[in-house]
Amino acid sequence: MAQRLHPGGRARSGERSRPRGSKRARREAPAGAGCLRAWTEENDGLAGGWRASRSSGPGRAAQQAARRCRLAFDSLLRKIQGLPAALPSLSLELTVLYNSLLFAVSESDGLVEGEAERINHGLIRVLEACGVSGQDLSTEELWQKVLQDVTTEELCAPLHRLGALQGAVWLAANCLGSVTGLFRLLSDTKGPLPSAHGGENELLALLKAWSVPVEGDTSPLVVQSTKDLKEILWTSAAFLQGLQGLEAGNLPTALSLLQAAASGFCSKRVLAQIYTCIGCCTQQMGKPQTALQHLKRALQVDFQCLSALSQAALVYRQLGETDAELEALALLYKALETPAQEAVSIDPCFLIRTELLVHTPALASLFSRSHPSEVKYLLAQRCLQAGRVGEAVEHYLDLLALLQEGPQHQVPLHGRSALPRIPEVFLEAASALEQLGRYQDAIAVCEEIISRTDDLIPETLRIELDSGAGGEAPGRAGSPSPGIPPQQRESLRCIVWRAAAYLHQGRAWARLGESKEAITRFTRCLNVLLRVQLVSAASIQSSEEMAEALPEAKVLQKIRLLALLGRGSQFQELGRDKEALMNFQHSLQVCPGDPAATSHLLRALWKLNRRQEAAALWQKLHADAAPADGQQEAPGRCVRPYPLYLVSCLKQVNLPHDESLARSLQDYLRTSGQDP
Amino acid sequence: APMPFVSVWCCSDKLCPCGERLQGQLGACLKTRSNLSSRLRPCGMKLTFPDQVWHVELLPLRRQLYILCAGNGIYCVSLDQLGSQAEDACPSSVFPVDADACIVPDVTLCTFTLLNDVLVTLSQAQGQWWMKLHVLLDPDQESQPCRQISQVGFSTCDQTGDDGDALSSHFLPVLCCASAPGTAGPGEGLWCSGGFTLEEPLFSLLFGIDAAMLDSPMILCGFPDGQLCCVPLKALNSSEAVDACSEVAGQVPPVKILHHLEEPVVFIGALRTEHKAPDDPDDQQLFGDSGCDCVVVVGHYGKMVAMKAERGEEAKVPEVREYYLQGPILCAACGGGSRMYYSTHSDISAVDLDWVSNASDPESIDNTAYVLPPVLSPASLSICSVVALSLSSRASEGDSELLALSAKGRLMSCDLCSPDDAHPIRLTPEKAGQRIKELLSGIGNVSERVSFLKKAVDQKNRALTSLNQVMNVSAALLSNQDGRKPVTCTVTASWSRLLLRDTWAISCMLENSSECSLEQGWTLCVQLFTSSCAFDEDSVDSATTFTFPIDQLLPGSKREVTLPLGSAEGTKLELPLTVSCALFYSLREILDSASDSYESLDDLLPDGSPGLSPDKEGICLPLSKCTIDILQCLRLDDSTVPGAPPSIATLSDPVETFLKVSRVQSDPSSVEVSDQLLPKAPDALGDEYLPPSVASIKVSSELLKNALKSFCEATYWAKERVCVNALGPCLPLRAVRLGLGTWSVPTDPPGQGLAPPVWKPGAGIPFLLPLLEPIQACCSGVASLLGQSVGSPPLCLGKSRQPVSCWAVGNARTHPLLCISLSKWLCEVGWGGTIGVS
């Protein structure tokens, strides 16, 4: 009916069969069609101008040009939509809407509500022109109605184009279901595609199957071709679903989707992100080498993709390749020192890009820029753990300087940060300094902690341990135990830090040969620890249970042991063997069966000529040692590791095996007739 | 209301233009919120800002003034530049602030604070508060004035809820900065206005060991909902969702809620409650090394919270004590001492948190040492209506000076002697003179207070009388819902001749048929909305309000007001025009003297009293509302007689006349009527004198929308429209000979495009044709249309005398509406609003 009355000999029915001819026909249309023609010319002019200007490349100028174009398209659209919808102008109207939305989406970056509303309005106008009411329908229903009811061939191409844009808007909002439904409608398939068998993703298959409307010369110009848009949609859909799979732990599916996405059409930045995600995925699947390959590719594609570097560091760590890991971290730190490159907000060639369509929290957290202080800490920590004390000290000192810098260098203190609590950083630094032999520096660093905690610890801290607190998984480090108020917990932590600082000071003084100073520090350490009163409920019996209920308790115990042993040794240095003995005995009470404590005690007893006791202890030690050896390394029990700042102390407290003592003990046992 | 600071600046002219002494006063003066456009006038020069000034800070290091203007952002004004401008300008000149001076354009900004070269802002967006950290860059080296470093969100403001919105909109959040001792050396000290240094145990206890070990200043933030939050300046970042309560992996989240005051926070400050040893040389400096030992937070309704480090044996926690002062508290100030000064509308009071000094027993000092007093006893300073306070210390004398700005704009300076030397021992003649001066000044203060109070009583009496009348009128108007209202307002639009120009005017006749008279204070508000086209979604309705004060309108009397809207050839009118009339009684008017009423009104109407507009402006009683369309401003203009002065055409409604003529012409039997109405009707002159008549009509889109609605209801329309649409774009005018009839399209396509559809006259519905012509084409198209059609009259007009009408609809903004009525005359399309017969 619409084609019946066409004055001026413009037989539109012939348009599809000979598009070129009809173009000429339209261009020569009489002045009576002025308005439609003028609008078409305006649209074509704008789109053509944009296409021509995009050779200038991204930048501020492109951004301004895009803004101008958006405003121009908007005003053109307003003009067209000012009139009631009419079929002959609808094709143009939908194209102008598409162009205007492309700019709007590209500019808004986050795809605001307004775009969806404008699509809705456009669809309602299409229905209006066809005499169908489209009020009170959801967008999904509108699309269904429009695509089913509007059979006008001319409108097919612009509607499909708009459909692709709608798909983009929905993808950006993570509405995969709606996108799938829409493309089912667009490809005119009722159920799941026959080709979409188990392996292949339905949406991707639909997108692939969707035939892009032919853009003849007749159609009004568009600023980004539907073919490009289709490719971008396909890549985004694959990437998005891959990310979702990765998040859900559905690794094989995620991998195949991400690999598909990598083969798609996207910018270098996104490609690097996809490779990084593949790297994460393969790493989680237990293929670190493959992961590394992908992460390397990510960096080759875009060196700004810093999270690939940090992921690579993680993988190297898993592989135990410390050199490579440290190198990666050092590179990462160096890259972070240069200011972040501004993200290109408008790429003139592709107004809609994958970056705009894929937003998930997982992606944001994976690609969030880490802080220099975090990376510096990781470097320092890994060096210390690997025993590279010299490097570790350098890094720790750098880090401490970084932390003291002004507010321009922000320090991540939030929960996801790699940085531990600040006093722990100081303690680790002190530990590293001590290991390097810079004892005075270590003492100074510890002094800082001591002075800061001075006013924060109460005279006595009474903590009641609830038996209900024990049910926690030991893997979750430091998660708050129920039942202990945070205020008390913080006080407890302060006590631990302060005691550890005194312990380190004592050890440093001991190394410097100042036994008296050392003894003072160890005593202060023990006094601080005495302020804690752990009152355990009846159900908590063993120290293991206690440690599980309150991880700090275990650390506390260990510090006490170390302080007692340290003090005992210093007493020995001074020749006050009896006091030393008392300290060692005490330490064995704190940690019954501790090999270090036992050997210290053994030696002290022997020195004091209390041979019988020594022999008994030695026998007991040997009896315990045999089964304990196997138990200690048992992988089944996940033991919470001691804080890094205590590790070196724990290592050094073990006495070297004294061959002569062992021999004399054996001799003694033989002579007393108690040889085992 | 007069601006409070205009008068302030009269006295500040005497002060040196810039420098330390001015700081406090500038701050004090501008922290007040005025209802009018805000002005800042340093050195005898006024700077005007586009909106209210909410906050001012001085950065002495750079000699810059930072000003937060509501809804605009932060402006940065250089004092040197101002000084040089002021020298050139005459004393009373007013300068609008340069738009380029806006360094942080952000409409959502609520407050900010400065720390050397760091700018911390707080804005409200997406239901959240956002604290952002900017670094001020050197303008010589960088292109931008500042760069954002990081931001953190506070999810506190959604708790205010619906009723809280009105409440919180009154109050701005309060930001201030607390630093630990030793973070700032004496020379290159961290400068922050309103900031303070906290003594060590308190700092660590309040803010945690991490902030203390990072040597990070803390940003304290008091929100209108009463929450007091803190965040370390060095860790002003958060992972995507800040959950202030959760503690993940042993980490303490950077944002910490210190307290919830449950009322808007108006002040955050710090005090030193413990006395130091007097021989300590550091004591001379109020901000000594160790800083303050007590943080105080004051809420608007009088709740005050003091936080101090407790010296208890048990777990170390800050002692938090709540006090209740008499509210509403407008502002507060504290210096380095143990006293805090706060101002309500009626008085300034001082509270002292140094409790130990009162204890006489040395034993008890040890036991109760360093504890906050259980009760506060405010001491009155008897200074009323102070809206801003600032405490400046005079280090040389050891005591301080309180600067207070009253609502009237008086800047007062009170010397606060320290409590120790409260009793002067001996009066020397100089001291006696000084003392007499002080006493006189005190008497002056008291007399001002008396006159203020007396005036307030008078005002309240008058206000009550007026309110009674207002209530009578309101009750009469509001209770009479269905029947005739006792006070009416009739709106008519007409052409009139004013100053030799034809103008189109709206006149509103206010008639008081009630029993009470409308007294002074009532205002007739006529609001004109130019509602834009319904098709244009982006259009913004614009409204203009005209107010006419009614001095007195006795029962039974009338008053007419006329609003000239435009002349015939003058500015274009946006039509249709909705005229809405209302009676408004400004409650501020009740209180007569506007400068004081600002506070008095707050006293009179407690927050949350129902039935008032959120800003408590007044009472509004709607009277009538009507829409004036272009048809109402049609004027039949007899311009056929050359040289004849244009007359006010007809006394009757021109539209009515026009329509009547149209109707007449459709009925040949009533030619006489037509002739009567239009004496020079073409028929009377014979065929050879049949000039095509030209009429210019603009029809409102509203009308057409309504018409469209009724058409849509008829299936007829939907069907017909399709065909017409197909015709539309390429149909030459000849085909648009439509009329009050129906179209029917031949079922068989005729083959050539020009075959007109068959039109059956008599259906009586004007046909609507969307004519797809853009505006330019429209204007020129009309000309050609006229040339074409008028030049060759034999359309189907001639003998049949069928009124042929064709309507084309356009967007009122993008295409002024096109309405063609082809009757015997061809009506031109245009916007002039006149019908001419040519």
Side-chain angles (χ1 to χ4, degrees):
Chain A
M1 193 153 131
Q3 291 157 15
R4 274 177 202 146
L5 296 159
H6 262 292
R10 284 179 54 229
R12 282 237 171 183
S13 52
E15 202 170 272
R16 248 174 319 287
S17 53
R18 40 180 190 85
R20 287 183 185 281
S22 74
K23 176 196 176 188
R24 216 166 295 125
R26 200 189 50 186
R27 294 284 185 256
E28 290 156 10
C35 157
L36 192 57
R37 202 191 57 187
W39 287 340
T40 314
E41 273 169 7
E42 190 178 344
N43 172 67
D44 290 1
L46 282 171
W50 170 255
R51 283 183 168 191
S53 77
R54 67 191 185 188
S55 57
S56 61
R60 212 174 162 72
Q63 206 163 340
Q64 279 166 353
R67 198 178 149 67
R68 271 197 305 276
C69 274
R70 182 177 68 82
L71 292 175
F73 274 118
D74 281 355
S75 85
L76 177 60
L77 185 68
R78 257 205 306 281
K79 264 192 254 176
I80 299 176
Q81 293 195 334
L83 294 182
L87 274 182
S89 66
L90 259 184
S91 159
L92 174 71
E93 181 183 330
L94 289 178
T95 310
V96 174
L97 176 64
Y98 170 82
N99 282 339
S100 141
L101 280 174
L102 278 178
F103 281 107
V105 167
S106 162
E107 203 171 78
S108 72
D109 213 47
L111 294 154
V112 286
E113 282 291 294
E115 269 83 74
E117 278 302 307
R118 287 171 66 189
I119 296 181
N120 261 7
H121 182 62
L123 292 180
I124 289 174
R125 280 176 61 87
V126 170
L127 289 178
E128 232 169 54
C130 301
V132 188
S133 165
Q135 298 297 329
D136 305 327
L137 290 180
S138 70
T139 313
E140 284 87 348
E141 290 165 329
L142 269 176
W143 273 108
Q144 196 166 2
K145 207 168 173 80
V146 165
L147 291 173
Q148 280 169 2
D149 292 8
V150 179
T151 47
T152 322
E153 297 262 359
E154 294 166 41
L155 287 183
C156 180
L159 273 178
H160 274 239
R161 258 201 303 264
L162 198 61
L165 200 56
Q166 174 76 70
V169 171
W170 271 333
L171 266 187
N174 290 347
C175 304
L176 284 169
S178 302
V179 184
T180 314
L182 177 65
F183 278 94
R184 250 184 233 148
L185 286 171
L186 286 175
S187 2
D188 205 19
T189 44
K190 295 287 173 249
L193 275 191
S195 64
H197 49 81
E200 206 176 343
N201 184 280
E202 191 200 346
L203 178 56
L204 294 187
L206 277 170
L207 276 168
K208 201 166 249 172
W210 174 54
S211 57
V212 179
V214 187
E215 279 162 42
D217 295 341
T218 59
S219 352
L221 280 178
V222 288
V223 286
Q224 185 175 6
S225 75
T226 326
K227 225 176 106 205
D228 288 351
L229 193 54
K230 175 184 166 177
E231 295 291 321
I232 285 163
L233 277 179
W234 191 84
T235 315
S236 305
F239 190 14
L240 192 64
Q241 293 180 87
L243 276 173
Q244 287 178 349
L246 190 60
E247 231 173 317
N250 200 352
L251 297 177
T253 322
L255 184 63
S256 70
L257 281 165
L258 287 170
Q259 274 166 345
S263 71
F265 181 67
C266 60
S267 67
K268 280 187 171 182
R269 176 163 292 194
V270 174
L271 187 60
Q273 289 186 346
I274 296 173
Y275 278 133
T276 312
C277 290
I278 295 179
C280 293
C281 193
T282 45
Q283 188 205 353
Q284 286 178 31
M285 289 165 85
K287 300 178 192 166
Q289 294 298 344
T290 327
L292 278 178
Q293 272 176 10
H294 280 109
L295 293 172
K296 270 180 196 156
R297 278 176 85 175
L299 281 171
Q300 278 164 6
V301 171
D302 177 17
F303 188 71
Q304 289 288 318
C305 187
L306 297 182
S307 48
L309 261 180
S310 54
Q311 284 296 324
L314 271 181
V315 178
Y316 281 127
R317 183 175 186 173
Q318 223 177 31
L319 288 173
E321 292 184 33
T322 316
D323 280 327
E325 183 197 347
L326 289 178
E327 198 183 335
L329 285 175
L331 265 176
L332 179 60
Y333 180 73
K334 209 168 177 184
L336 280 173
E337 272 187 323
T338 58
Q341 216 176 39
E342 288 278 313
V344 184
S345 51
I346 297 269
D347 183 345
C349 292
F350 301 106
L351 287 168
I352 299 259
R353 286 160 294 143
T354 316
E355 289 93 317
L356 296 175
L357 305 186
V358 183
H359 307 279
T360 64
L363 190 72
S365 69
L366 188 59
F367 291 97
S368 65
R369 200 177 157 88
S370 43
H371 288 264
S373 44
E374 271 179 291
V375 180
K376 199 76 196 174
Y377 173 73
L378 280 177
L379 268 171
Q381 185 204 37
R382 293 298 299 144
C383 283
L384 188 61
Q385 282 171 344
R388 302 172 178 213
V389 183
E391 287 170 60
V393 163
E394 287 305 310
H395 288 309
Y396 272 116
L397 292 181
D398 284 354
L399 176 64
L400 292 188
L402 204 61
L403 292 182
Q404 295 302 312
E405 256 181 61
Q408 296 196 34
H409 267 109
Q410 290 283 307
V411 180
L413 286 186
H414 51 78
R416 284 190 12 260
S417 155
L419 211 60
R421 299 291 302 270
I422 305 298
E424 292 186 13
V425 177
F426 274 68
L427 281 172
E428 284 173 26
S431 168
L433 282 166
E434 189 195 321
Q435 287 178 54
L436 195 67
R438 292 169 66 175
Y439 302 117
Q440 290 292 358
D441 291 338
I443 290 168
V445 170
C446 289
E447 195 56 45
E448 173 76 8
I449 300 165
I450 291 164
S451 70
R452 294 290 186 178
T453 49
D454 204 15
D455 297 304
L456 296 181
I457 48 177
E459 288 300 312
T460 49
L461 179 69
R462 189 183 155 89
I463 293 179
E464 289 187 31
L465 286 174
D466 204 345
S467 57
E472 238 186 306
R476 285 176 53 207
S479 47
S481 306
I484 302 175
Q487 197 63 258
Q488 276 198 358
R489 208 181 169 83
E490 186 68 16
S491 292
L492 181 63
R493 281 191 201 123
C494 282
I495 288 178
V496 169
W497 293 326
R498 189 178 170 89
Y502 275 130
L503 177 70
H504 278 290
Q505 277 194 337
R507 287 167 50 85
W509 283 117
R511 292 297 181 88
L512 286 170
E514 301 271 348
S515 295
K516 281 196 175 160
E517 277 290 341
I519 288 171
T520 319
R521 303 301 144 137
F522 285 131
T523 309
R524 280 187 195 165
C525 170
L526 291 168
N527 287 344
V528 170
L529 292 174
L530 278 178
R531 295 195 188 188
V532 185
Q533 291 179 2
L534 293 178
V535 184
S536 53
S539 60
I540 299 180
Q541 299 293 340
S542 67
S543 60
E544 277 84 18
E545 273 178 87
M546 170 96 85
E548 265 183 30
L550 190 67
E552 284 87 353
K554 197 175 136 196
V555 180
L556 213 74
Q557 210 178 31
K558 217 67 191 177
I559 293 175
R560 181 174 295 168
L561 171 81
L562 289 169
L564 283 168
L565 292 180
R567 192 164 71 171
S569 309
Q570 290 310 303
F571 278 129
Q572 272 184 333
E573 292 276 320
L574 291 175
R576 291 152 73 176
D577 287 337
K578 284 208 167 158
E579 279 156 300
L581 183 72
M582 266 170 65
N583 273 302
F584 295 141
Q585 278 170 337
H586 209 119
S587 72
L588 205 58
Q589 278 171 16
V590 170
C591 287
D594 186 86
T598 318
S599 53
H600 271 103
L601 180 61
L602 190 66
R603 198 178 287 193
L605 283 170
W606 191 259
K607 211 172 170 192
L608 280 171
N609 232 356
R610 289 158 72 169
R611 301 196 165 190
Q612 199 164 358
E613 285 169 74
L617 197 64
W618 197 67
Q619 275 177 318
K620 192 163 173 271
L621 183 67
H622 270 268
D624 287 351
D629 273 343
Q631 216 176 42
Q632 210 141 37
E633 311 305 323
R637 281 192 57 207
C638 178
V639 180
R640 190 196 297 270
Y642 285 106
L644 185 55
Y645 55 84
L646 281 187
V647 169
S648 73
C649 308
L650 287 170
K651 257 188 228 157
Q652 288 165 15
V653 83
N654 288 320
L655 284 177
H657 186 61
D658 194 338
E659 204 52 51
S660 64
L661 180 66
R663 214 174 303 124
S664 28
L665 267 164
Q666 273 168 349
D667 288 346
Y668 172 75
L669 282 171
R670 212 175 300 126
T671 49
S672 61
Q674 292 174 356
D675 194 8
Chain B
M3 286 162 288
F5 17 89
V6 173
S7 49
V8 167
W9 287 112
C10 296
C11 63
S12 77
D13 282 345
K14 284 179 253 161
L15 299 173
C16 60
C18 11
E20 292 290 304
R21 195 168 161 74
L22 197 59
Q23 286 172 31
Q25 287 153 18
L26 261 182
C29 303
L30 289 159
K31 272 180 181 171
T32 60
R33 291 165 66 186
S34 147
N35 263 352
L36 298 178
S37 75
S38 316
R39 292 175 178 198
L40 156 72
R41 185 180 144 201
C43 342
M45 187 188 82
K46 287 178 204 151
L47 262 185
T48 55
F49 289 91
D51 206 334
Q52 285 185 38
V53 168
W54 274 354
H55 194 70
V56 176
E57 297 236 9
L58 185 78
L59 193 57
L61 224 65
R62 296 182 174 218
R63 299 177 62 77
Q64 282 171 333
L65 205 55
Y66 289 82
I67 301 127
L68 169 63
C69 179
N72 285 273
I74 297 173
Y75 291 83
C76 171
V77 180
S78 157
L79 284 180
D80 300 332
Q81 198 187 328
L82 272 186
S84 64
Q85 267 185 346
E87 278 171 20
D88 302 342
C90 58
S92 57
S93 50
V94 174
F95 290 97
V97 70
D98 194 0
D100 292 342
C102 189
I103 55 163
V104 187
D106 183 354
V107 291
T108 59
L109 269 183
C110 290
T111 186
F112 71 96
T113 189
L114 282 167
L115 290 96
N116 288 350
D117 55 348
V118 177
L119 173 68
V120 181
T121 63
L122 195 67
S123 52
Q124 191 175 20
Q126 298 142 24
Q128 262 199 319
W129 291 100
W130 293 96
M131 190 185 280
K132 292 176 187 167
L133 180 69
H134 304 260
V135 168
L136 300 174
L137 303 171
D138 192 350
D140 300 334
Q141 289 166 17
E142 308 275 346
S143 55
Q144 316 158 271
C146 63
R147 187 180 69 229
Q148 187 181 329
I149 299 283
S150 59
Q151 66 170 18
V152 66
F154 296 83
S155 51
T156 58
C157 63
D158 49 358
Q159 291 171 3
T160 49
D162 293 335
D163 54 337
D165 279 349
L167 188 77
S168 55
S169 64
H170 275 71
F171 297 97
L172 293 171
V174 183
L175 269 187
C176 85
C177 173
S179 44
T183 47
E188 74 285 3
L190 199 65
W191 196 88
C192 168
S193 72
F196 43 81
T197 311
L198 281 187
E199 207 182 50
E200 190 30 73
L202 182 60
F203 190 88
S204 297
L205 282 178
L206 279 180
F207 308 128
I209 190 167
D210 299 276
M213 291 194 77
L214 282 175
D215 281 338
S216 170
M218 294 296 291
I219 302 295
L220 284 169
C221 190
F223 291 107
D225 70 342
Q227 282 207 60
L228 179 67
C229 296
C230 66
V231 58
L233 187 68
K234 283 191 190 173
L236 239 166
N237 46 26
S238 57
S239 39
E240 59 284 335
V242 174
D243 196 347
C245 309
S246 75
E247 193 181 334
V248 192
Q251 286 284 8
V252 178
V255 176
K256 202 170 152 189
I257 298 173
L258 289 179
H259 198 78
H260 204 304
L261 219 60
E262 287 157 344
E263 58 186 69
V265 177
V266 291
F267 175 72
I268 303 172
L271 299 170
R272 163 126 217 121
T273 58
E274 290 166 38
H275 278 291
K276 283 188 187 170
D279 52 354
D280 189 352
D282 287 345
D283 195 31
Q284 294 303 317
Q285 284 177 296
L286 281 160
F287 286 97
D289 267 340
S290 51
C292 304
D293 60 0
C294 177
V295 174
V296 284
V297 186
V298 179
H300 178 68
Y301 300 108
K303 196 192 250 186
M304 171 180 155
V305 170
M307 284 177 266
K308 202 181 161 184
E310 201 177 18
R311 298 284 157 125
E313 302 292 297
E314 278 300 310
K316 291 269 181 171
V317 281
E319 182 192 1
V320 177
R321 200 175 278 254
E322 288 191 352
Y323 301 101
Y324 294 89
L325 307 171
Q326 199 196 351
I329 293 175
L330 299 180
C331 57
C334 42
S338 59
R339 285 182 180 185
M340 187 194 78
Y341 299 89
Y342 64 93
S343 166
T344 58
H345 292 308
S346 53
D347 204 355
I348 295 182
S349 307
V351 285
D352 200 331
L353 272 85
D354 182 12
W355 191 45
V356 188
S357 62
N358 298 335
S360 52
D361 186 10
E363 279 296 306
S364 68
I365 290 179
D366 283 341
N367 292 338
T368 60
Y370 320 123
V371 184
L372 288 164
V375 189
L376 289 180
S377 43
S380 165
L381 298 191
S382 300
I383 302 171
C384 61
S385 60
V386 165
V387 292
L389 275 177
S390 166
L391 205 65
S392 74
S393 60
R394 283 181 303 192
S396 57
E397 294 162 45
D399 51 13
S400 47
E401 180 187 33
L402 185 70
L403 290 174
L405 177 72
S406 76
K408 276 184 182 171
R410 229 162 67 104
L411 187 65
M412 287 167 278
S413 158
C414 321
D415 284 343
L416 306 165
C417 31
S418 55
D420 297 334
D421 44 45
H423 308 289
I425 311 130
R426 195 184 301 155
L427 284 176
T428 61
E430 297 84 47
K431 276 191 180 168
Q434 179 68 29
R435 180 92 188 114
I436 287 166
K437 262 189 202 168
E438 281 171 17
L439 285 174
L440 284 176
S441 150
I443 291 168
N445 273 337
V446 170
S447 84
E448 194 193 344
R449 189 167 152 75
V450 167
S451 72
F452 169 79
L453 291 176
K454 202 173 165 207
K455 210 166 147 195
V457 169
D458 285 352
Q459 270 177 6
K460 281 183 183 173
N461 278 337
R462 250 179 318 196
L464 280 176
T465 325
S466 316
L467 267 180
N468 188 31
Q469 270 181 342
V470 172
M471 287 307 158
N472 283 341
V473 174
S474 310
L477 262 175
L478 294 176
S479 61
N480 210 346
Q481 293 289 1
D482 38 326
R484 196 177 125 76
K485 288 187 175 179
V487 180
T488 53
C489 185
T490 330
V491 179
T492 48
S494 63
W495 282 95
S496 63
R497 202 160 171 76
L498 267 179
L499 299 171
L500 293 175
R501 280 162 68 104
D502 289 341
T503 46
W504 189 63
I506 293 175
S507 67
C508 306
M509 175 73 79
L510 181 69
E511 188 173 359
N512 181 8
S513 44
S514 70
E515 286 162 5
C516 24
S517 70
L518 297 177
E519 293 289 340
Q520 192 178 11
W522 284 102
T523 314
L524 174 65
C525 297
V526 182
Q527 201 162 24
L528 304 182
F529 298 98
T530 48
S531 75
S532 41
C533 182
F535 295 120
D536 193 356
E537 295 206 327
D538 295 339
S539 63
V540 185
D541 290 355
S542 60
T544 323
T545 309
F546 297 87
T547 53
F548 303 95
I550 305 165
D551 278 344
Q552 199 182 30
L553 193 65
L554 294 172
S557 57
K558 294 178 183 177
R559 180 153 307 154
E560 184 173 7
V561 294
T562 311
L563 287 174
L565 288 184
S567 55
E569 61 276 357
T571 50
K572 280 182 195 167
L573 281 173
E574 293 247 355
L575 289 168
L577 204 60
T578 307
V579 183
S580 124
C581 300
L583 273 179
F584 179 75
Y585 192 88
S586 166
L587 289 178
R588 296 198 184 281
E589 287 295 318
I590 297 181
L591 299 154
D592 208 11
S593 157
S595 62
D596 308 36
S597 67
Y598 188 65
E599 288 76 31
S600 316
L601 190 63
D602 282 341
D603 286 343
L604 199 69
L605 303 163
D607 286 313
S609 49
L612 287 175
S613 57
D615 30 339
K616 298 182 286 191
E617 286 292 345
I619 294 166
C620 189
L621 304 169
L623 288 177
S624 65
K625 192 174 182 179
C626 69
T627 305
I628 294 185
D629 268 330
I630 194 84
L631 288 180
Q632 273 157 293
C633 72
L634 288 181
R635 186 163 61 136
L636 286 175
D637 192 5
D638 190 0
S639 57
T640 46
V641 184
S647 59
I648 297 166
T650 40
L651 287 174
S652 61
D653 188 349
V655 182
E656 284 298 311
T657 316
F658 183 72
L659 292 177
K660 217 177 264 172
V661 171
S662 309
R663 229 173 288 135
V664 161
Q665 282 165 347
S666 63
D667 183 5
S669 65
S670 55
V671 172
E672 300 83 21
V673 186
S674 153
D675 288 345
Q676 280 167 12
L677 280 167
L678 291 164
K680 296 185 181 70
D683 270 7
L685 299 170
D687 269 357
E688 61 274 28
Y689 288 106
L690 188 80
S693 307
V694 176
S696 202
I697 306 176
K698 189 174 171 188
V699 173
S700 89
S701 57
E702 282 299 310
L703 274 184
L704 283 161
K705 202 173 78 183
N706 286 336
L708 266 173
K709 232 184 247 163
S710 60
F711 276 120
C712 285
E713 282 157 14
T715 48
Y716 154 82
W717 166 244
K719 202 165 79 196
E720 287 299 315
R721 210 167 56 145
V722 177
C723 352
V724 177
N725 279 340
L727 285 169
C730 43
L731 200 64
L733 184 82
R734 280 153 57 82
V736 197
R737 284 179 264 134
L738 316 179
L740 297 172
T742 50
W743 275 96
S744 63
V745 181
T747 42
D748 226 356
Q752 328 106 304
L754 273 175
V758 180
W759 176 66
K760 282 187 199 155
I765 308 167
F767 198 83
L768 284 159
L769 168 67
L771 195 71
L772 297 173
E773 287 288 344
I775 164 81
Q776 310 92 320
C778 240
C779 295
S780 58
V782 165
S784 70
L785 178 151
L786 288 175
Q788 189 184 354
S789 329
V790 176
S792 50
L795 297 175
C796 75
L797 305 177
K799 308 283 178 198
S800 73
R801 282 200 182 168
Q802 286 297 341
V804 179
S805 58
C806 154
W807 302 74
V809 190
N811 181 322
R813 189 160 297 170
T814 53
H815 330 288
L817 201 64
L818 180 62
C819 163
I820 311 168
S821 176
L822 295 172
S823 62
K824 189 158 186 184
W825 303 305
L826 179 69
C827 297
E828 187 206 336
V829 182
W831 348 105
T834 54
I835 296 174
V837 181
S838 58

